[in-house]
Each structure stands twice: as structure tokens, then as C-alpha cells.
Amino acid sequence: MTKRTAGFVAVDVLLIVLMILPFAAGMVLKILLTPPTQGIEIAGALIYFTVKMPFMGDLPITESQTNSFFVVLSLLGLCLYLTHGITAKGGSRRQLMAEWIVEQSEKLVHTNMGAYFSGFAPFIAGMMGLSALSSLSSLMGLYPPTSDINIVGGWAILVFILITYYKCKCGPVQYLKSFAEPVAFLAPLNVISEVATPLSMAFRHYGNVLSGSVISVLIAAALAGLSNVLLGWLPGVLGEIPLLRIGIPAVLSLYFDIFSGLLQAFIFSMLTMLYVSGGFPADLYEKRKAKKAAKRKAVK
């Protein structure tokens, strides 16, 4: 084995550790900082500690914030691993996987947003990966960041800024005039609709993921009670084990934690593409661009 090969393998190992270690750290924090409870309890994200701030009150560092940071680190490790050793010839499985992700992201963006927004592919792929992995972190016993309205609300605000930016491509005057379309007296409703866009995106994503977690916990609690009623007569330790909870919650997790989490990531990304591209006045922008080019040409 050459030094180059040994170094390549060593970097691969480090990148794999970078993918796994954040989730391990999240599970350790969960075990060490979660207070003991009696039975099943449904609660929000834990507050690990509070940072004293000179103004605007104290800054709580919550379970959802730390888990979101861990997800970002794990995604970084995955991206570095897939692109490590990439060559022009290609051929390796990881490079084929990386190229497939890039091709599918570009195809999705081009289909839903058009050629003008081709540069959005990395953003959409990153958002989809962040959302999906955040929801799937619940499979490791972590509090999914997508179950916190503050996390998903931050994503929605970022999307709202992008929507407003592209709506203002034809100038702030044209943006303000768009609220009076098709008739002026609908302007208040258009303003409400504008504000409702990030709110609906945030609450849709947050509500669907959180409801799945709550339903899973309630079903697990119901199965434990039912097991005690039906099988509590068994002798010894067998009567104390909630046998009906074995396997059934795992099957439900296939939908609530996996399918629903991946579906919500796809829906959030699709809404982002549709809202950003739909709010961009492409025809007016091209006319304005052509008019500016004609003025510059006339001046020369």
C-alpha cells in the first residue's frame, strides 16, 4: 500500500467519523441532560443551557439547535466523502452517486424553475438534505429539528427573503404595484397573502413532522396499556414486559419517521422553487433589461 493510498483511506475514515460523530454526540447529550421522567411524556425541545446576553434577554441553547448543527456537520461530512478523490474520468461508486445527486438536482430545478434559476440546484439539494436528515434523526432517539417551529420558521424566512428579492428584480416600484393587481382594492388581501407564504410553509412542515412524533408516542403508550391489560396475567417478568409494543411502533415509524419526513422535505423544496420562480416577473425583467441595454448603446 503506497503512502498516497494510505492517506486516501485515512481521509475517508475521518470523513466517515465526521458523518457519524455528530449524531453520537447528540445521543450522548440527550442521555446526560435529559431529566428522568415517569412514563411517556410529550414535551418540546430541552433547553441545554442559557447564554447571558447584554441585551434582548438571554439566549437559550436548545436541543433542536444543537441537533440542527449536528445534522449540518454530518451533511458536510457526507458531501466531502462523496467528492473525495473525484476525477475527470470517474468510475468510482461514490463519484457516480455524487454525479447522480447533482444531475437530479439540476433536472428538478430546471423543470420547476426554468433555465434562469439553474444556479439554485445546490441550494435546493442542500435544503432537501437538511430537512430530510433532520426528520430522520428521530430514528436515533434524537429530537428532530423539524419538530421545532423556530428551526423551520428560520428556513421559511430565508425563502421569503429570496421570494422578495426576485420579486424586486424589476425595481421596488414594480414590486409595490404588484400588490394592486388585478385591481387596487385587493391590495390588503395581497399583502396578507404575501405574509402568509412563509407562515404556511413553516407550519405545514412543522405540523406534519410533529404530529407524526406525537401520534407515534400516543400509540406506543396505548400499546403498553393494552399489553398490561391483555397479557398482565403472564407469570413473572413476562407480565411486566409490554409485548405489544415490540415491532408495531417500528412498523409505524416507516411512515411517520421515514416516509413522512422525506415527503415533507420534498414538499418544502418544491414550494420553495414554485414560490421563488412564480414571484419572479420574467417578462418585465427581460423588457427592463433590454431597455437598459438600448440606453447604454445609445449613450455610446
Side-chain angles (χ1 to χ4, degrees):
M1 181 179 290
T2 62
K3 291 184 178 180
R4 180 180 179 183
T5 304
F8 187 89
V9 173
V11 173
D12 267 359
V13 172
L14 289 175
L15 294 177
I16 293 173
V17 170
L18 181 59
M19 285 188 280
I20 299 173
L21 190 60
F23 290 111
M27 288 186 279
V28 170
L29 284 176
K30 180 82 172 178
I31 295 170
L32 295 178
L33 300 178
T34 300
T37 59
Q38 296 294 329
I40 295 177
E41 180 179 331
I42 299 175
L46 295 173
I47 298 178
Y48 284 153
F49 57 92
T50 303
V51 179
K52 297 293 183 181
M53 303 295 289
F55 54 88
M56 299 293 290
D58 297 333
L59 175 64
I61 303 301
T62 66
E63 187 178 10
S64 57
Q65 290 171 320
T66 55
N67 289 348
S68 183
F69 177 70
F70 292 149
V71 168
V72 171
L73 283 180
S74 183
L75 275 176
L76 174 62
L78 176 61
C79 293
L80 292 176
Y81 177 77
L82 290 177
T83 55
H84 182 222
I86 196 169
T87 61
K89 294 181 180 179
S92 65
R93 292 181 180 179
R94 74 175 75 180
Q95 183 166 342
L96 291 175
M97 176 61 71
E99 291 174 354
W100 181 82
I101 293 173
V102 171
E103 289 173 359
Q104 293 302 314
S105 300
E106 291 178 345
K107 181 180 177 182
L108 186 66
V109 170
H110 187 272
T111 302
N112 293 281
M113 302 184 76
Y116 180 82
F117 293 95
S118 58
F120 257 68
F123 176 77
I124 295 300
M127 175 172 288
M128 196 177 297
L130 179 60
S131 176
L133 198 55
S134 294
S135 297
L136 293 177
S137 63
S138 62
L139 297 174
M140 289 168 278
L142 300 178
Y143 184 87
T146 43
S147 291
D148 192 331
I149 187 62
N150 298 291
I151 299 295
V152 184
W155 300 351
I157 290 173
L158 174 61
V159 173
F160 179 69
I161 292 172
L162 288 173
I163 295 171
T164 306
Y165 170 77
Y166 281 98
K167 282 187 176 181
C168 290
K169 275 286 189 175
C170 291
V173 175
Q174 179 60 38
Y175 173 66
L176 294 175
K177 285 172 62 178
S178 66
F179 288 107
E181 296 176 352
V183 287
F185 72 85
L186 290 178
L189 293 178
N190 290 331
V191 172
I192 294 173
S193 175
E194 192 80 359
V195 177
T197 297
L199 292 176
S200 64
M201 291 183 68
F203 280 104
R204 180 186 291 108
H205 198 321
Y206 155 77
N208 280 286
V209 175
L210 180 63
S211 62
S213 301
V214 172
I215 292 172
S216 297
V217 172
L218 292 176
I219 291 176
L223 289 173
L226 184 62
S227 179
N228 184 51
V229 172
L230 297 179
L231 305 175
W233 55 270
L234 293 174
V237 181
L238 290 177
E240 300 176 2
I241 299 176
L243 297 175
L244 295 181
R245 283 180 60 181
I246 299 175
I248 298 177
V251 174
L252 295 174
S253 177
L254 292 176
Y255 174 78
F256 291 120
D257 293 329
I258 300 178
F259 176 74
S260 181
L262 297 177
L263 180 63
Q264 293 307 316
F266 178 75
I267 290 174
F268 192 89
S269 301
M270 285 294 297
L271 290 175
T272 298
M273 291 186 286
L274 295 176
Y275 282 137
V276 172
S277 60
F280 176 57
D283 295 337
L284 292 175
Y285 178 73
E286 291 298 330
K287 290 180 181 178
R288 189 184 187 204
K289 192 175 178 181
K291 192 178 293 184
K292 284 184 177 180
K295 285 184 179 179
R296 284 195 298 267
K297 189 175 180 180
V299 170
K300 291 179 180 179

